[in-house]
Amino acid sequence: MGISTENCFMLKTFRIGGIHPAENKLSAGKKIENAALPAQVMIPLAQHIGAPCQPIVKKGDKVKVGTLIGKSVGFVSANIHSSVSGTVNKIDKVTDVSGYKRDAVIIDVDGDEWEPTIDRSDTLKRECRLSSKEIVEKIAGAGIVGMGGATFPTHVKLTPPPGLKANILIINGVECEPYLTSDHELMLEKAEEIFVGTEILMKAIDVKKAVIGIENNKKDAIARFAEISKSYPGIEVQPLKVKYPQGGEKQLIDAITGRQVPGGALPISVGAIVQNVGTTFAVYEAVQKNKPLFERIVTVTGKEVKNPCNVRARIGTPFKNLIDIAGGLPGDTGKVISGGPMMGKALPDIDIPVAKGSSGILIIPSSEAKRKAMKDCIRCAKCVNVCPMGLNPTLLMDLTEFQIWDRAEKQKITDCIECGSCSYTCPANRPLLDYIRLGKGKVTGIVRARKN
Amino acid sequence: MENKLIVSPSPHIHSGDSIPKNMYGVLIALIPAFLLSLYVFGLDALILTLASILFCVVFEYFISKFILKSEPTISDGSAIITGVLLAFNVPSNLPIWILAIGALAAIGIGKMSFGGLGKNIFNPALVGRIFLLISFPAQMTTWPAPVLESATDAISSATVLSQLNLSSALPTLSSMFVGTESGSLGETSAIALLLGLIYMLWKKIITWHIPISILVTVAIFTAILYIFDPQPQYNPIIHLASGGLMLGAIFMATDYVTSPLTKKGMVIYGFFIGIITVCIRLWGAYPEGVSFAIVLMNGFTPLINYYTTPKRFGEKQKNG
Amino acid sequence: MNVILTAVAVLCVIGAVSSAILYIISQRFKTIEDPRIELVQEALPAANCGGCGFPGCNGFASAIVKSDTMDGFYCPVGGQTTMDNIARILGRTADVSIKKIAVVRCNGTCENRPRTNIYDGASNCTIAAALYGGDTGCSFGCLGLGDCVDSCLFDAIHINPETMLPEVVEDKCTACGACVKACPKNLIELRKQGPKSRRIYVSCMNKDKGGVARKSCEVACIGCSKCQQVCPFDAITIENNLAYIDDDKCRLCRKCVPVCPTNSILELNFPPRKEPKEETAKAEA
C-alpha cells in the first residue's frame, strides 16, 4: 500500500511531552554478524514477565539447538528452548539481568546440532495456511516474547480478553532509544520476512490493517519498507518524527492512530495491538520455519567501544563474549547497560547471560556514568512539560518521599511508563524516576490489596 | 574485575541541563534591556546594577555560610538574577545605601529565610522592591529624566503611568517602545524586553504561557474599558508598553520557583496578574501594580498547583 | 470619644453573641466519650508510632477501652509499666510480655563483604533493592542506605559509617517494628532482649549455597548445620542454607557460637569466656 498517503510529508508523532536525546546510533549500518558459540551457555528460566519456567531437563541430559528445556507454567509465561547443542551441566542460580540470582539451565556446548524439525534454509516462505488458533499455538510453543525489552509473552497479547477485538495491528519499528540499532539492522536485512510476519500476525488477530511505524532517522529502512509494502495489501508504512519515547506502546498508538489508551487500560481497549519488529521476525521464523526463539540481535555499542556492532547471539551467551566481539571492554568503562540508555538496566558485572529481552549492550565511559549531585527542586516545570503521560513528576517524587500514597494514586502515579524523560531533563539532577518507580510499586500494591 | 562498575536505575543519560545554565540564560536575555538602560540613564545604570549584584551575592554567601551553615550556592547564578532584577526595578538615581537595604530584604527575607533557592514563596527581587517602595516612597517614585533629554542635570520626571493618573502630556508611543522615556532602570524599553522573551523561548528556558497570558489579559481588559470610554488612561497600547508590565510579565512572573507548574495553572496565574495589575493601575493608590500583582499571585501559586493537573494522557479521548 | 465608645460597644456585642452561639453549639453537639479513653491516652507515651498496630495512641486507647480483655494489646514503646498502668485504669490485669528489641541480621561490614560495584542511584534501600542484589556479591545483605534509619521515630537506629551497617541503640529502641517493615531485605527482626540484654542470633540472611555465600562474605552463614548438631535445646533450624535460632527455645548456652566456622552467630553482652576464644562481636548489631 506504500507510505500512508494522506501524511506523506507530515511526520506523525505523539501529542504530549517527549524529549529528543542525542541519537548516538554508532552501530547504524553495521551488518549483523554471528557471534561465535560460547563454551557454555546459561539460559535463565525467567526471561519474560510472568511465572518462571519449570525446567524439564536435568544434569547430564543431551540437548540439541531448539530443544524445549523450560516449560511455561500458567498462562502468562513462555517456553524456553536450548540455544545450543550439548550436555546440561547443572541447573543453578545465576545472576541475570534482574540483578538477582535466579534459576538458569547451564549447558556445556558441544558442536551445533539443530533439532531436525527446524528449517534452516534462508528462502522466504510467504504462504501460511494455518488458522488463527494454530498460529497463536505455534507462537506460544516457540516461546516468543516482546523483544523490544518488555518481554511480555506474545501469545498472551494475541489473545485479547473476551469481548474485545483489535481492528489495527501496529508494528513497532521505532527504536527510539538512543544508541540501539538492532531493530534497524534487522529491518534492513530481513524486511520481507518482517512483512510476512506481519501478515501472519494480522491473520492471528483477524485484522485487515497493519501499520509499521518507523522513526524518520531510519530513512533507508522507510524507503525499503515503502517499496516492499506495495506488494502487501493492508500493510502501510508510517514515518514518524524522531521523539522519545515513541516506542512506548501507548505513545506509538497515539502517534499512528490518534487514539489514546486510557490510564490503566490495555491497548486493545482502543482496538490496537502493538508488536515489535524483532518479535514479528521471530513470529515469522517460528511459524514458517519451525524455529523457536533461541537467538536474537544485540547491539553492542558505546562511545569508547572500538567496534560498535550488531551481533546475532544465542540466548545464554555471556555479555562478556559479545563485548569481546566489539573489541573488548574499553579501559574507561563506567557502566555496562543491558538495553538502551533511557530504560536499560545497569549491570553489576558482565558475566550475565543474554536473554530474550536483551536488545543491546551499552558501555558508558566513566565520565558520563556518574550522576551529578542532586539539588533542591527549583520548580521549573520541565519534567511536567516532557512527561509523555501528562503527569507531574516532581509532585509524584515528593509524594513518594513523604509516603502520601492516596494523593499519589489520585495523581495517577500508576500511569507512569518509566521512560525516564523527567530524570533526563531535570536541571537539578533529581532522581525523579527512582522515586516515582518506588511509589508506583507501592501504590500498585495498595490498589491490588484493596481489590482483593 | 579491576575497576568496579557503576550501577544505578535508569535513565543513564542526562540532558546536561543544569540550574546555572537556566539562570545564565535568563541573564543573557536581560542583556538588551541592560544595554538600553546604559544608553538611557548612563553610568548610573551600570553602577547601580553592579552594586545590586554585588550586594545580593555577598548577602547570599554570608547568610548561607554563617547563618544556615550550608554550602553557599552563589555559583548557580540565581542571586545574580535577583540583583539585576532588583536594580532594574528602581530609579537610576537611588542612593546606594537604600539599594543595599533592598538587596538585604530581597535575599534575606525573600529567599534565604525560606531556605534558599527552590523554597521561597515570593519572588525575591520583588520582595526587595516592595520593601523599598513602602519604606522609601519618595526616593522610589522620583525618576530622573533620561540623560538623553537633559544631559546637564537630572530633573525628576514622572513615569508614563503617573502622568496617566495626572492626565498630563504623554511621551510618544515610539519612545515608550524603544525605552527613552523615564522610569525604573530596566523597565523602560518594551522592545529590549521582548527580545529577551524571544531568546528565552528559543532556548526553552520558559514557556510562553505566563508572559503571553499576562500581556493578553492586560490588553483585552483595557481594550474593553477603552471601547466604552476612550480616555488615554484606558489605552491598551499604553498599558502594554509602559511601566514595569513587560519586565514583570517576562522576567519576574516567570520566575521558576514562584510560578505554577502546570500549563493550566500558568495561564490562570497570568490572567489574574493581568487583572490585578490593571485594577491597581487604574483604581489603586499606586501608579504601578505589576509587582504587587505578581507577589500576590506568588502567594496563590501553591493553591494553583494543588488544584490544577497537567493534561493527562488518555484522559479526554479524542479518537481520530 | 463617641467613636471609641461605639467601637467598644460593637465589639462587646459581637463577643457576647459569638460566645452565646459557641456555648449553644457545644452543648447541642456534645459527644459523650468514655472518660477512660482519655485516662488511658494520658498513660500512653504519645509517640503515635503505630507500633501497637492501631492508628496512633488515641486509636489504641479507644480500642482497648472498648475491648473486654488486654489480649492483643501491647504498647511496645511504653512497655510493661505502661501496660500495668492501663490495666489498673481499666481494672484488668495485664499479661506479662517480654521486652523485645530490633536486631539487624547482617554482619557484612566493608571488611567482611567487599564491594563489587558502585551504587549510584537515589539513596534509598527500597529503590536499590528493586534494581538489583546490591553493591556486594551477597544479594541478601544490608544495602546500608538507611531506610531503617528514616523509619525510626525514636532515633534508635543509625548507620555506622565504618561498617556501613545499621546499629540499634538498645536504650532507645522500643520494638515498634517500623524498621522491620522498612527494610526491603527483611534483615531486621524483633527478638527477645534477653536477661541483661544477652542475646544470641545468626547475623546473616544469605540463602545462597555455602560456597557462593562464603565467597561474597566472610561471615556468611553457609548452612553447614554444625550449630544445629551442637544445640541441646533444638532451638536451631536450617532452611535454605541458612540457620535460624528460635529465641523461645534458646537458653543462651552459647555452645553454637564457637562451632560456627564463619563466625556468623553473634553473642551480645556476655561476659568473656573462660578459655580465650575469639570475641566474635563486641559491636552491638
Side-chain angles (χ1 to χ4, degrees):
Chain A
M1 247 166 61
I3 289 182
S4 111
T5 41
E6 74 267 41
N7 282 313
C8 206
F9 296 105
M10 251 269 290
L11 296 172
K12 286 188 174 179
T13 191
F14 55 97
R15 284 172 286 180
I16 299 176
I19 55 172
H20 187 192
E23 289 167 27
N24 283 320
K25 303 268 189 189
L26 306 170
S27 51
K30 294 274 179 71
K31 286 263 172 296
I32 298 170
E33 43 190 305
N34 285 319
L37 284 177
Q40 192 182 54
V41 290
M42 301 166 282
I43 303 175
L45 286 165
Q47 296 188 35
H48 44 261
I49 289 178
C53 282
Q54 207 59 253
I56 55 165
V57 286
K58 56 184 189 305
K59 188 176 170 169
D61 282 1
K62 296 269 180 227
V63 291
K64 289 178 188 162
V65 178
T67 310
L68 187 69
I69 54 171
K71 198 147 176 42
S72 72
V73 285
F75 183 58
V76 183
S77 185
N79 284 343
I80 285 173
H81 302 80
S82 172
S83 60
V84 290
S85 63
T87 322
V88 177
N89 182 307
K90 57 182 168 178
I91 294 168
D92 198 4
K93 291 204 185 292
V94 165
T95 308
D96 66 7
V97 187
S98 73
Y100 280 93
K101 288 196 175 74
R102 297 198 288 189
D103 280 331
V105 179
I106 298 169
I107 304 169
D108 290 327
V109 181
D110 178 22
D112 192 23
E113 193 189 334
W114 291 39
E115 285 283 347
T117 45
I118 303 171
D119 172 6
R120 293 185 72 177
S121 70
D122 248 355
T123 45
L124 183 78
K125 189 178 161 208
R126 192 169 165 181
E127 232 169 306
C128 172
R129 289 221 182 77
L130 299 174
S131 73
S132 143
K133 199 164 166 251
E134 284 165 329
I135 293 172
V136 175
E137 269 165 16
K138 223 164 176 185
I139 290 172
I144 295 174
V145 300
M147 288 172 77
T151 65
F152 192 78
T154 301
H155 64 274
V156 182
K157 237 181 183 182
L158 297 177
T159 322
L164 289 171
K165 193 185 167 311
N167 51 34
I168 187 168
L169 171 71
I170 294 172
I171 302 297
N172 184 349
V174 172
E175 202 160 55
C176 60
E177 278 267 12
Y179 289 96
L180 300 188
T181 56
S182 51
D183 284 353
H184 184 186
E185 239 0 82
L186 186 73
M187 284 193 281
L188 289 178
E189 292 183 23
K190 303 284 178 192
E192 287 268 4
E193 285 86 346
I194 290 170
F195 272 91
V196 177
T198 308
E199 276 193 331
I200 294 169
L201 285 170
M202 286 164 76
K203 200 169 170 189
I205 55 172
D206 186 30
V207 296
K208 295 282 162 292
K209 189 183 172 189
V211 180
I212 304 177
I214 307 173
E215 272 191 356
N216 206 30
N217 54 3
K218 294 177 264 292
K219 291 211 168 68
D220 46 356
I222 295 174
R224 177 135 172 69
F225 270 47
E227 188 57 38
I228 298 173
S229 67
K230 286 175 188 154
S231 52
Y232 286 84
I235 304 179
E236 240 174 62
V237 177
Q238 174 64 57
L240 299 163
K241 194 179 153 190
V242 181
K243 194 158 103 177
Y244 179 86
Q246 195 138 237
E249 211 167 44
K250 291 184 170 183
Q251 275 63 36
L252 186 60
I253 295 170
D254 182 25
I256 285 180
T257 66
R259 305 173 200 164
Q260 290 193 342
V261 181
L266 292 169
I268 190 77
S269 67
V270 295
I273 283 180
V274 183
Q275 294 291 352
N276 173 271
V277 284
T279 319
T280 312
F281 179 66
V283 165
Y284 164 80
E285 289 200 312
V287 177
Q288 302 294 71
K289 304 274 187 182
N290 262 324
K291 185 180 157 193
L293 181 56
F294 58 75
E295 59 182 11
R296 68 158 297 143
I297 318 295
V298 183
T299 300
V300 188
T301 184
K303 282 181 187 160
E304 298 287 319
V305 172
K306 270 197 210 88
N307 167 34
C309 55
N310 303 299
V311 291
R312 183 179 287 110
R314 302 283 170 86
I315 305 294
T317 310
F319 274 14
K320 190 173 175 304
N321 291 27
L322 305 189
I323 295 172
D324 286 342
I325 295 173
L329 202 63
D332 178 28
T333 299
K335 232 183 219 180
V336 177
I337 294 162
S338 162
M342 292 302 292
M343 293 186 76
K345 278 201 83 152
L347 303 174
D349 67 71
I350 56 169
D351 297 323
I352 285 168
V354 170
K356 290 174 182 174
S358 314
S359 48
I361 302 169
L362 169 60
I363 296 161
I364 291 189
S366 47
S367 56
E368 291 176 30
K370 216 145 172 89
R371 291 186 182 180
K372 292 207 186 71
M374 158 184 154
K375 305 253 176 64
D376 284 334
C377 172
I378 55 165
R379 289 182 264 168
C380 64
K382 289 193 183 193
C383 56
V384 183
N385 293 340
V386 298
C387 179
M389 297 307 291
L391 307 177
N392 186 340
T394 177
L395 174 65
L396 293 178
M397 172 171 168
D398 286 350
L399 292 175
T400 303
E401 237 180 328
F402 297 110
Q403 314 199 347
I404 309 172
W405 306 126
D406 53 333
R407 267 192 80 195
E409 190 189 340
K410 272 190 211 121
Q411 293 289 335
K412 310 256 176 194
I413 196 166
T414 49
D415 277 6
C416 174
I417 58 167
E418 304 181 20
C419 68
S421 299
C422 47
S423 298
Y424 171 84
T425 313
C426 182
N429 290 300
R430 294 178 73 71
L432 291 156
L433 179 57
D434 293 11
Y435 278 93
I436 294 172
R437 204 185 273 123
L438 166 68
K440 182 183 164 185
K442 292 262 184 206
V443 171
T444 312
I446 292 168
V447 172
R448 197 176 298 145
R450 198 189 306 139
K451 271 184 194 158
N452 293 341
Chain B
M1 207 178 304
E2 62 284 2
N3 48 355
K4 291 173 192 162
L5 294 178
I6 297 169
V7 183
S8 68
S10 65
H12 305 288
I13 48 175
H14 190 265
S15 59
D17 199 1
S18 67
I19 297 174
K21 254 191 196 172
N22 285 293
M23 295 299 169
Y24 291 118
V26 175
L27 284 175
I28 291 171
L30 281 162
I31 286 176
F34 176 62
L35 291 179
L36 209 100
S37 75
L38 288 185
Y39 175 68
V40 177
F41 298 108
L43 206 58
D44 282 352
L46 180 68
I47 295 169
L48 215 57
T49 311
L50 289 182
S52 178
I53 293 174
L54 186 75
F55 287 137
C56 285
V57 171
V58 167
F59 286 141
E60 176 158 334
Y61 180 80
F62 281 106
I63 292 175
S64 57
K65 180 140 194 192
F66 296 110
I67 299 179
L68 297 181
K69 308 254 193 268
S70 60
E71 194 66 19
T73 49
I74 46 169
S75 59
D76 65 20
S78 61
I80 302 176
I81 293 186
T82 305
V84 174
L85 288 178
L86 180 67
F88 276 18
N89 269 302
V90 298
S92 64
N93 60 349
L94 192 77
I96 297 285
W97 63 272
I98 294 186
L99 187 72
I101 294 174
L104 186 60
I107 296 293
I109 301 172
K111 186 175 174 189
M112 301 314 281
S113 65
F114 292 96
L117 181 69
K119 301 192 182 107
N120 49 311
I121 299 174
F122 303 107
N123 186 329
L126 284 179
V127 171
R129 183 206 140 103
I130 289 175
F131 187 84
L132 292 182
L133 189 65
I134 294 169
S135 311
F136 306 96
Q139 288 91 332
M140 285 294 288
T141 48
T142 38
W143 288 270
V147 282
L148 295 172
E149 283 172 20
S150 50
T152 45
D153 64 336
I155 305 159
S156 296
S157 76
T159 63
V160 181
L161 284 169
S162 39
Q163 285 165 333
L164 270 182
N165 282 9
L166 302 168
S167 28
S168 52
L170 291 166
T172 60
L173 274 179
S174 66
S175 79
M176 283 165 57
F177 272 102
V178 178
T180 51
E181 87 279 17
S182 77
S184 293
L185 211 59
E187 68 180 25
T188 55
S189 167
I191 288 184
L193 293 167
L194 282 173
L195 273 178
L197 173 66
I198 291 167
Y199 177 80
M200 288 200 290
L201 290 178
W202 173 52
K203 283 282 174 190
K204 295 198 174 139
I205 294 169
I206 57 167
T207 55
W208 57 267
H209 300 79
I210 293 174
I212 301 301
S213 58
I214 294 176
L215 298 177
V216 167
T217 307
V218 169
I220 293 176
F221 190 23
T222 49
I224 292 169
L225 296 172
Y226 194 66
I227 290 166
F228 287 110
D229 186 10
Q231 298 285 322
Q233 68 259 39
Y234 297 140
N235 188 335
I237 297 176
I238 291 177
H239 272 279
L240 281 184
S242 67
L245 184 68
M246 285 285 176
L247 183 65
I250 296 169
F251 290 101
M252 317 272 255
T254 54
D255 171 37
Y256 283 153
V257 181
T258 54
S259 61
L261 288 168
T262 60
K263 287 176 180 159
K264 258 179 259 168
M266 288 176 183
V267 173
I268 294 169
Y269 169 84
F271 171 76
F272 280 107
I273 288 176
I275 297 281
I276 296 169
T277 301
V278 176
C279 289
I280 295 177
R281 278 182 172 186
L282 294 178
W283 303 299
Y286 284 97
E288 176 57 302
V290 182
S291 4
F292 289 107
I294 294 173
V295 168
L296 205 60
M297 289 312 293
N298 283 168
F300 279 99
T301 295
L303 195 70
I304 295 173
N305 279 339
Y306 191 90
Y307 282 109
T308 56
T309 52
K311 189 165 178 276
R312 306 271 194 229
F313 185 93
E315 197 159 62
K316 264 182 207 149
Q317 222 174 307
K318 277 176 274 169
N319 278 355
Chain C
M1 198 57 201
N2 226 352
V3 178
I4 296 171
L5 281 179
T6 324
V8 169
V10 167
L11 278 176
C12 286
V13 172
I14 291 174
V17 170
S18 316
S19 52
I21 292 171
L22 277 177
Y23 177 76
I24 292 165
I25 288 175
S26 68
Q27 286 300 313
R28 184 96 175 69
F29 295 97
K30 201 174 178 178
T31 50
I32 299 141
E33 198 186 42
D34 194 329
R36 291 180 301 168
I37 293 179
E38 210 181 315
L39 287 174
V40 172
Q41 208 181 332
E42 271 165 22
L44 287 167
N48 287 318
C49 63
C52 52
F54 294 94
C57 294
N58 182 266
F60 180 80
S62 0
I64 198 168
V65 168
K66 267 187 210 122
S67 159
D68 293 331
T69 61
M70 298 286 280
D71 290 346
F73 293 101
Y74 184 72
C75 171
V77 181
Q80 198 57 43
T81 27
T82 303
M83 292 316 293
D84 287 341
N85 288 339
I86 294 171
R88 208 172 310 124
I89 292 166
L90 299 176
R92 303 171 194 163
T93 42
D95 306 332
V96 179
S97 68
I98 301 137
K99 169 105 172 106
K100 291 197 169 190
I101 197 160
V103 163
V104 182
R105 290 175 291 173
C106 176
N107 196 20
T109 59
C110 303
E111 265 172 41
N112 290 337
R113 187 176 54 145
R115 268 44 184 167
T116 54
N117 61 72
I118 304 157
Y119 176 69
D120 187 37
S123 187
N124 180 299
C125 304
T126 316
I127 290 174
L131 180 67
Y132 73 133
D135 56 357
T136 65
C138 171
S139 57
F140 300 92
C142 178
L143 296 163
L145 299 168
D147 278 14
C148 48
V149 179
D150 294 342
S151 75
C152 186
L153 290 168
F154 306 99
D155 195 33
I157 192 164
H158 302 280
I159 302 279
N160 181 332
E162 261 170 49
T163 59
M164 289 311 284
L165 291 174
E167 291 177 359
V168 178
V169 184
E170 284 199 19
D171 302 339
K172 289 184 178 171
C173 178
T174 61
C176 69
C179 52
V180 176
K181 277 181 223 146
C183 180
K185 299 278 187 185
N186 204 11
L187 292 174
I188 307 179
E189 186 194 10
L190 296 180
R191 290 180 74 91
K192 282 183 195 164
Q193 192 171 21
K196 294 183 190 158
S197 282
R198 288 175 182 174
R199 299 189 286 283
I200 295 180
Y201 62 96
V202 180
S203 184
C204 184
M205 285 294 276
N206 193 315
K207 297 188 179 81
D208 283 335
K209 279 179 196 155
V212 182
R214 183 68 182 73
K215 213 171 143 194
S216 57
C217 178
E218 285 186 21
V219 292
C221 172
I222 53 174
C224 67
S225 79
K226 277 188 182 151
C227 50
Q228 191 181 25
Q229 286 155 20
V230 83
C231 182
F233 308 107
D234 268 349
I236 301 180
T237 45
I238 310 265
E239 206 176 319
N240 293 323
N241 309 308
L242 180 64
Y244 177 77
I245 303 177
D246 185 342
D247 58 354
D248 281 334
K249 290 182 184 161
C250 176
R251 309 269 281 269
L252 304 176
C253 72
R254 293 205 273 174
K255 282 197 177 122
C256 52
V257 180
V259 300
C260 178
T262 57
N263 293 326
S264 67
I265 302 179
L266 296 189
E267 50 173 44
L268 288 189
N269 304 319
F270 280 90
R273 281 160 194 276
K274 299 272 159 53
E275 62 269 59
K277 283 251 167 79
E278 69 268 84
E279 289 175 44
T280 31
K282 272 263 170 73
E284 303 164 349

Tab-separated table of all heavy atoms in Angstrom, chain C residues 131-149:
chain	number	residue	atom	x	y	z
C	131	LEU	N	16.272	-2.562	42.091
C	131	LEU	CA	17.135	-2.540	40.915
C	131	LEU	C	17.960	-3.803	40.800
C	131	LEU	O	18.033	-4.410	39.737
C	131	LEU	CB	18.064	-1.324	41.003
C	131	LEU	CG	19.034	-1.144	39.845
C	131	LEU	CD1	18.265	-0.818	38.580
C	131	LEU	CD2	20.025	-0.038	40.151
C	132	TYR	N	18.582	-4.213	41.894
C	132	TYR	CA	19.467	-5.377	41.821
C	132	TYR	C	19.831	-5.857	43.218
C	132	TYR	O	19.364	-5.322	44.214
C	132	TYR	CB	20.701	-5.066	40.990
C	132	TYR	CG	21.739	-4.156	41.626
C	132	TYR	CD1	23.078	-4.499	41.588
C	132	TYR	CD2	21.377	-2.978	42.241
C	132	TYR	CE1	24.042	-3.676	42.144
C	132	TYR	CE2	22.335	-2.153	42.799
C	132	TYR	CZ	23.663	-2.497	42.754
C	132	TYR	OH	24.601	-1.689	43.288
C	133	GLY	N	20.674	-6.874	43.259
C	133	GLY	CA	21.007	-7.513	44.528
C	133	GLY	C	21.790	-6.648	45.486
C	133	GLY	O	21.794	-6.911	46.679
C	134	GLY	N	22.465	-5.631	44.989
C	134	GLY	CA	23.222	-4.772	45.872
C	134	GLY	C	24.668	-4.670	45.445
C	134	GLY	O	25.109	-5.358	44.528
C	135	ASP	N	25.407	-3.787	46.120
C	135	ASP	CA	26.763	-3.489	45.664
C	135	ASP	C	27.806	-4.472	46.187
C	135	ASP	O	28.988	-4.196	46.169
C	135	ASP	CB	27.138	-2.047	46.011
C	135	ASP	CG	27.004	-1.768	47.490
C	135	ASP	OD1	26.575	-2.674	48.219
C	135	ASP	OD2	27.332	-0.657	47.920
C	136	THR	N	27.350	-5.624	46.682
C	136	THR	CA	28.295	-6.666	47.064
C	136	THR	C	27.871	-7.961	46.374
C	136	THR	O	26.829	-8.008	45.722
C	136	THR	CB	28.270	-6.905	48.574
C	136	THR	OG1	26.987	-7.419	48.907
C	136	THR	CG2	28.532	-5.638	49.345
C	137	GLY	N	28.648	-8.992	46.568
C	137	GLY	CA	28.272	-10.266	45.971
C	137	GLY	C	27.058	-10.889	46.637
C	137	GLY	O	26.436	-11.788	46.093
C	138	CYS	N	26.715	-10.418	47.825
C	138	CYS	CA	25.589	-11.003	48.570
C	138	CYS	C	24.322	-10.221	48.269
C	138	CYS	O	24.260	-9.018	48.514
C	138	CYS	CB	25.876	-10.953	50.064
C	138	CYS	SG	24.474	-11.393	51.074
C	139	SER	N	23.334	-10.913	47.732
C	139	SER	CA	22.110	-10.195	47.387
C	139	SER	C	21.083	-10.238	48.515
C	139	SER	O	19.953	-9.841	48.328
C	139	SER	CB	21.510	-10.762	46.100
C	139	SER	OG	21.276	-12.134	46.250
C	140	PHE	N	21.480	-10.740	49.682
C	140	PHE	CA	20.553	-10.793	50.808
C	140	PHE	C	20.915	-9.789	51.896
C	140	PHE	O	20.147	-9.549	52.800
C	140	PHE	CB	20.546	-12.200	51.419
C	140	PHE	CG	20.124	-13.264	50.452
C	140	PHE	CD1	21.050	-13.940	49.692
C	140	PHE	CD2	18.780	-13.567	50.294
C	140	PHE	CE1	20.658	-14.905	48.785
C	140	PHE	CE2	18.387	-14.537	49.394
C	140	PHE	CZ	19.322	-15.209	48.630
C	141	GLY	N	22.117	-9.218	51.774
C	141	GLY	CA	22.653	-8.425	52.872
C	141	GLY	C	22.209	-6.981	52.879
C	141	GLY	O	21.486	-6.514	51.992
C	142	CYS	N	22.683	-6.296	53.906
C	142	CYS	CA	22.304	-4.901	54.114
C	142	CYS	C	22.874	-4.019	53.000
C	142	CYS	O	24.016	-4.172	52.585
C	142	CYS	CB	22.842	-4.443	55.458
C	142	CYS	SG	22.497	-2.724	55.809
C	143	LEU	N	22.038	-3.066	52.536
C	143	LEU	CA	22.471	-2.139	51.493
C	143	LEU	C	23.058	-0.863	52.086
C	143	LEU	O	23.694	-0.089	51.392
C	143	LEU	CB	21.288	-1.785	50.585
C	143	LEU	CG	20.710	-2.961	49.802
C	143	LEU	CD1	19.326	-2.625	49.287
C	143	LEU	CD2	21.615	-3.323	48.649
C	144	GLY	N	22.787	-0.670	53.361
C	144	GLY	CA	23.416	0.447	54.063
C	144	GLY	C	22.952	1.828	53.653
C	144	GLY	O	23.651	2.811	53.861
C	145	LEU	N	21.766	1.942	53.038
C	145	LEU	CA	21.307	3.254	52.600
C	145	LEU	C	20.320	3.885	53.580
C	145	LEU	O	19.842	4.984	53.369
C	145	LEU	CB	20.691	3.157	51.194
C	145	LEU	CG	21.672	2.681	50.127
C	145	LEU	CD1	20.945	2.325	48.849
C	145	LEU	CD2	22.702	3.750	49.837
C	146	GLY	N	19.977	3.131	54.621
C	146	GLY	CA	19.312	3.772	55.746
C	146	GLY	C	17.806	3.930	55.692
C	146	GLY	O	17.278	4.868	56.264
C	147	ASP	N	17.076	3.034	55.036
C	147	ASP	CA	15.614	3.102	55.126
C	147	ASP	C	15.158	2.891	56.574
C	147	ASP	O	14.172	3.478	57.017
C	147	ASP	CB	14.958	2.032	54.237
C	147	ASP	CG	14.888	2.488	52.796
C	147	ASP	OD1	15.569	3.472	52.463
C	147	ASP	OD2	14.145	1.861	52.010
C	148	CYS	N	15.885	2.038	57.305
C	148	CYS	CA	15.532	1.772	58.702
C	148	CYS	C	15.733	3.031	59.541
C	148	CYS	O	14.914	3.347	60.411
C	148	CYS	CB	16.353	0.615	59.258
C	148	CYS	SG	18.107	0.736	58.922
C	149	VAL	N	16.816	3.754	59.249
C	149	VAL	CA	17.086	4.978	60.000
C	149	VAL	C	15.966	5.987	59.767
C	149	VAL	O	15.453	6.609	60.694
C	149	VAL	CB	18.447	5.568	59.567
C	149	VAL	CG1	18.736	6.848	60.328
C	149	VAL	CG2	19.557	4.562	59.775
